Amino acid sequence: MGFGTGLATGLASGFKEVVNKVDDRIYDSMTRAERYIQTRWDQEEASSREKEEKAEEAVKRLTKYVDVENLPEGVRAEDVAAAWFVKSGGSISEAEKMADRLSDAESFLGADAAKLTFAKARNTGMTVREMVKSTIRPPDMDFIRGPQKTMKGLFGEVDITAEALKRAGVPTDEQTRKAFDTEGFEGLGTTGKFYDVTEYQTKTKKDELAIQQAKITLRKGEKEIAEMGGLDETAGRYFLKDTLKNALGKEAIGWDEVNDVVDFKTSKENVEGMYKGTSNAIEAASKYFLDTGTLNKTSGKNQLIGFASSNSPYIKPVGAGVDAKGNPLETNEVGKVYAYSVGGKDRSGIWLGNDMGFLTIPGL
């Protein structure tokens, strides 16, 4: 081998050694970064998973205290409890404390223990774990990656962190955000409140006092009640229930004392009695609400409308309440339900006299 050949071989060997050393340094740096990133990701992922598990367990504890008897069709206790948890800030410790308080309430009050009450609720179609994810902060990807590091080799710069991320199998920012996305969690439309022992006792006491006062009020004469400004909502509710119960009783329609509702078995057996009793109850209630001034209050009007609407399957208008020109007939009787027309649209309503006219019954 000549000098030239030996020199060329030596230079090539030396160049290869330099390249290898640079490659080794880059590889070692990537390996160290990869190990760091993978370790940090595992730690963050484990922490998030632990929080999810604790949140899931807390929500499952709360589901035991949801008022399941009054849930809308298709809605689960989990939907309500998870919605309460999320809307309350997603604090696991607070949810655990609340579950403890409600457990104490159940032990103290038994069947009368506080429940989660709500105005509305929706079925989310999601698991508890999926729902509580919205309260768990996703791993901080920038923190996991650490400072951005590059290394300049013979053939340009190498992004150590970016390469290490690929090899470590850590999700991208977009993938992480998607994993924690809870779009469609319509259970957030649920509203309501948990009552603890003290709150529930206070509420119960207020309800009992209102009922006692309602019973005292209903013993008074119509003139005296009118001077008081009419019945309040509690007294109105009890009056309407008792009026229906008495009117149906005269028609041999029974009353389910346990559930405090019409005995549907006897109502099916005696449909005509149901029609007659219901009509008489609406007539009696309308006259009483009118004479006591209760209809001068928005709450009174709403109660009478609600009473008639809930019993609308057993209401038949007694006839036309207006003449050919749409004017109320002089023969209309207060408290009776008539058919009439407004602007070419057929409606039904309770006639309350010339001063108040018809009180429209929705859906009839």
Side-chain angles (χ1 to χ4, degrees):
M1 179 174 62
F3 176 76
T5 303
L7 176 62
T9 301
L11 288 173
S13 176
F15 178 75
K16 185 176 182 181
E17 186 177 342
V18 171
V19 171
N20 288 339
K21 284 182 179 179
V22 172
D23 285 347
D24 288 343
R25 285 176 59 206
I26 292 174
Y27 179 80
D28 289 342
S29 295
M30 285 169 53
T31 302
R32 287 195 300 272
E34 181 183 339
R35 285 199 296 266
Y36 167 78
I37 290 168
Q38 187 63 64
T39 299
R40 289 296 299 119
W41 170 254
D42 289 343
Q43 291 172 346
E44 289 291 316
E45 191 177 37
S47 176
S48 295
R49 192 161 52 246
E50 183 180 5
K51 289 176 182 175
E52 286 176 20
E53 290 172 355
K54 287 184 176 180
E56 181 181 26
E57 182 60 31
V59 169
K60 285 183 176 179
R61 285 188 65 195
L62 292 177
T63 59
K64 299 176 183 178
Y65 308 101
V66 172
D67 185 10
V68 293
E69 292 183 2
N70 295 303
L71 283 177
E73 186 177 355
V75 177
R76 306 163 301 167
E78 291 89 340
D79 294 315
V80 178
W84 179 90
F85 176 72
V86 173
K87 292 191 73 174
S88 298
S91 171
I92 297 172
S93 61
E94 287 303 313
E96 290 172 341
K97 288 178 184 177
M98 179 59 77
D100 289 339
R101 291 165 70 188
L102 288 164
S103 177
D104 292 341
E106 187 174 58
S107 299
F108 185 78
L109 295 169
D112 294 325
K115 299 289 185 181
L116 172 60
T117 57
F118 52 93
K120 59 180 179 178
R122 299 175 184 173
N123 187 316
T124 64
M126 301 170 73
T127 65
V128 173
R129 178 68 71 89
E130 289 171 335
M131 289 187 278
V132 300
K133 263 192 174 184
S134 64
T135 67
I136 309 300
R137 184 177 179 180
D140 186 342
M141 300 300 291
D142 290 331
F143 176 63
I144 291 172
R145 290 170 184 156
Q148 195 79 2
K149 292 181 179 179
T150 59
M151 181 174 289
K152 188 171 292 187
L154 295 179
F155 303 106
E157 290 188 349
V158 176
D159 188 329
I160 301 299
T161 303
E163 291 298 323
L165 277 170
K166 292 178 184 177
R167 292 170 48 164
V170 176
T172 63
D173 283 323
E174 184 178 352
Q175 289 171 326
T176 303
R177 283 196 298 270
K178 187 175 181 180
F180 282 80
D181 180 23
T182 55
E183 185 178 354
F185 181 16
E186 297 176 345
L188 289 176
T190 297
T191 59
K193 179 182 180 181
F194 277 115
Y195 294 97
D196 65 13
V197 176
T198 304
E199 291 173 326
Y200 190 75
Q201 286 179 321
T202 301
K203 178 180 179 297
T204 301
K205 188 174 182 180
K206 285 183 178 179
D207 291 343
E208 290 175 349
L209 289 173
I211 292 171
Q212 291 175 9
Q213 185 58 52
K215 291 179 179 178
I216 292 173
T217 299
L218 292 173
R219 295 194 196 108
K220 302 179 184 295
E222 294 180 9
K223 184 178 180 182
E224 189 176 358
I225 293 175
E227 291 174 350
M228 293 167 51
L231 301 177
D232 61 24
E233 288 192 43
T234 304
R237 184 171 68 252
Y238 272 84
F239 174 81
L240 292 172
K241 184 189 71 175
D242 289 342
T243 299
L244 180 62
K245 181 178 179 180
N246 293 333
L248 293 177
K250 293 178 181 179
E251 304 303 323
I253 302 295
W255 193 266
D256 183 347
E257 297 293 346
V258 176
N259 297 305
D260 206 21
V261 294
V262 177
D263 183 339
F264 292 104
K265 182 180 179 181
T266 55
S267 68
K268 288 179 180 178
E269 294 173 349
N270 185 4
V271 177
E272 286 305 315
M274 204 47 205
Y275 277 117
K276 186 176 179 181
T278 301
S279 297
N280 289 340
I282 291 174
E283 182 177 352
S286 301
K287 290 179 178 178
Y288 188 86
F289 270 38
L290 190 62
D291 293 341
T292 57
T294 304
L295 278 176
N296 293 326
K297 303 162 70 171
T298 301
S299 61
K301 289 181 180 179
N302 290 339
Q303 278 193 316
L304 189 58
I305 290 173
F307 180 64
S309 297
S310 62
N311 290 288
S312 60
Y314 296 100
I315 300 174
K316 289 181 179 178
V318 296
V322 296
D323 60 21
K325 295 182 179 179
N327 299 315
L329 301 174
E330 294 183 2
T331 56
N332 290 343
E333 294 181 55
V334 172
K336 296 282 188 181
V337 177
Y338 291 91
Y340 62 98
S341 180
V342 177
K345 294 183 178 180
D346 295 331
R347 297 182 180 178
S348 294
I350 306 169
W351 176 249
L352 297 173
N354 293 326
D355 291 337
M356 300 194 73
F358 289 104
L359 188 64
T360 305
I361 303 175
L364 184 62

